[in-house]
Amino acid sequence: MMPLGMASVGDTNTIVKITGRDEVRQHLAELGFVVGEKVTVVSQMGGNMILSIKDSRVALDRTMAMRIMV
């Protein structure tokens, strides 16, 4: 298990756990980041990551991505 923020571009991983306060977990869930879902790292620029999840693309900053365990 590792944080999504450590994944490489092109990696597809399955979310196993989401850490952080309830509001943070709720926000991520609304974006589609839920346990069991597959997420692919599309690109990384500066402190941001472009992720593909549930047929959509989402930009997350690295601190948010570090709360998602894959």
Side-chain angles (χ1 to χ4, degrees):
M1 192 163 75
M2 69 172 184
L4 182 58
M6 305 290 281
S8 304
V9 172
D11 283 0
T12 298
N13 297 289
T14 302
I15 298 170
V16 292
K17 184 179 179 184
I18 297 175
T19 64
R21 296 191 319 270
D22 288 348
E23 310 89 86
V24 171
R25 292 200 310 265
Q26 179 65 37
H27 176 66
L28 289 170
E30 287 167 2
L31 293 173
F33 295 93
V34 292
V35 172
E37 195 61 46
K38 291 204 178 306
V39 58
T40 304
V41 180
V42 177
S43 67
Q44 295 183 19
M45 292 177 292
N48 296 320
M49 301 180 80
I50 307 296
L51 305 166
S52 176
I53 189 162
K54 290 187 177 178
D55 299 327
S56 62
R57 295 216 170 158
V58 179
L60 277 189
D61 70 353
R62 190 173 295 279
T63 55
M64 271 304 208
M66 294 300 268
R67 294 191 172 129
I68 302 170
M69 298 293 163
V70 293

